[in-house]
Amino acid sequence: MKNIAIFYASSTGNTKAIAEQLSKNLDGIKEYNIKLTGCEYMRDYENLILGISTWEDGKMQEDWEKSWEEFSRIDFKNKKVAIFGLGNQKKYKNNFLDAMGKLYKQLIKANAQVIGFTSTIGYEFEKSEAVIENSFVGLALDLENKEDNLKKIEEWTTILKREFK
Ligand SMILES: Cc1cc2nc3c(=O)[nH]c(=O)nc-3n(C[C@H](O)[C@H](O)[C@H](O)COP(=O)(O)O)c2cc1C
């Protein structure tokens, strides 16, 4: 596994904590908080993990929103990208993880190969932009309502290790 990094932003620290956990699981790979660094360094990596939370009934976390124009200019051709999203399926059951879906759509438009889809089984929500053909487009985390987040991170990391070569 080479040339890999995590890019995230986080309002209350939840996405940051997951980014740190993922980095630990993946031999200490570099993490970038896009609030501080923007998106420019994404161009330097072949393999990327992007972390985003959903806010205000389906919106992207504010630092992602601020960086969106810069992000949208990046061509992800020949890059593999895995996404993890944080949300709350009980309180926001009609917008669960929508921001992860928005990120996915832009990545596809920008020629990325998106990997790391996960099952929706075991989640309770009504609607989500992050679901395509019954799967989440990345790792779906809900720190408020689920207790198996750590296990899911472990399983997802194993898949990423296989896919990111
Ligand atoms: C005011 C507010 C609005 C939120 N809106 C949504 C939402 O629309 N969809 C969702 O899935 N989660 C929503 N959430 C849950 C957050 O995404 C969740 O708490 C997440 O872990 C925050 O991560 P962060 O601290 O890294 O930004 C909302 C939380 C708050 C406090």
Side-chain angles (χ1 to χ4, degrees):
M1 227 180 25
K2 60 178 168 63
N3 201 232
I4 166 170
I6 301 172
F7 293 82
Y8 72 93
S10 184
S11 294
T12 67
N14 290 344
T15 309
K16 181 179 171 42
I18 302 300
E20 284 166 3
Q21 184 63 47
L22 280 167
S23 167
K24 225 184 253 173
N25 291 5
L26 292 164
D27 310 324
I29 58 169
K30 198 165 168 62
E31 305 150 43
Y32 295 89
N33 181 343
I34 64 162
K35 181 180 183 172
L36 307 173
T37 61
C39 298
E40 195 51 38
Y41 298 114
M42 290 182 190
R43 297 179 202 275
D44 298 345
Y45 294 90
E46 277 169 51
N47 300 308
L48 299 100
I49 301 174
L50 308 184
I52 189 166
S53 54
T54 302
W55 283 83
E56 291 169 55
D57 301 326
K59 292 215 180 82
M60 286 183 280
Q61 190 273 348
E62 60 176 345
D63 302 306
W64 272 105
E65 207 145 76
K66 282 178 198 152
S67 302
W68 196 247
E69 212 185 293
E70 188 193 9
F71 178 66
S72 303
R73 283 199 299 270
I74 299 172
D75 185 4
F76 284 87
K77 191 164 182 244
N78 299 325
K79 294 183 190 293
K80 281 190 181 176
V81 183
I83 318 169
F84 65 99
L86 280 87
N88 182 327
Q89 65 198 300
K90 290 219 169 112
K91 264 200 177 150
Y92 304 96
K93 59 180 191 304
N94 288 310
N95 300 94
F96 182 47
L97 302 173
D98 277 2
M100 180 158 81
K102 294 182 207 301
L103 203 54
Y104 172 76
K105 282 182 198 114
Q106 176 54 34
L107 286 165
I108 293 300
K109 224 163 98 184
N111 309 307
Q113 184 187 349
V114 179
I115 61 159
F117 281 34
T118 60
S119 170
T120 54
I121 292 169
Y123 294 79
E124 287 173 40
F125 61 96
E126 296 290 329
K127 260 171 68 185
S128 172
E129 283 182 41
V131 174
I132 288 182
E133 289 171 13
N134 293 324
S135 294
F136 287 115
V137 296
L139 176 64
L141 298 169
D142 180 346
L143 302 196
E144 280 95 5
N145 300 299
K146 279 178 84 65
E147 271 138 39
D148 60 352
N149 293 292
L150 267 183
K151 187 168 154 265
K152 288 204 176 286
I153 292 167
E154 294 284 338
E155 288 166 1
W156 199 60
T157 315
T158 306
I159 294 167
L160 297 194
K161 279 184 176 162
R162 211 167 47 222
E163 297 264 349
F164 285 145
K165 289 238 165 94

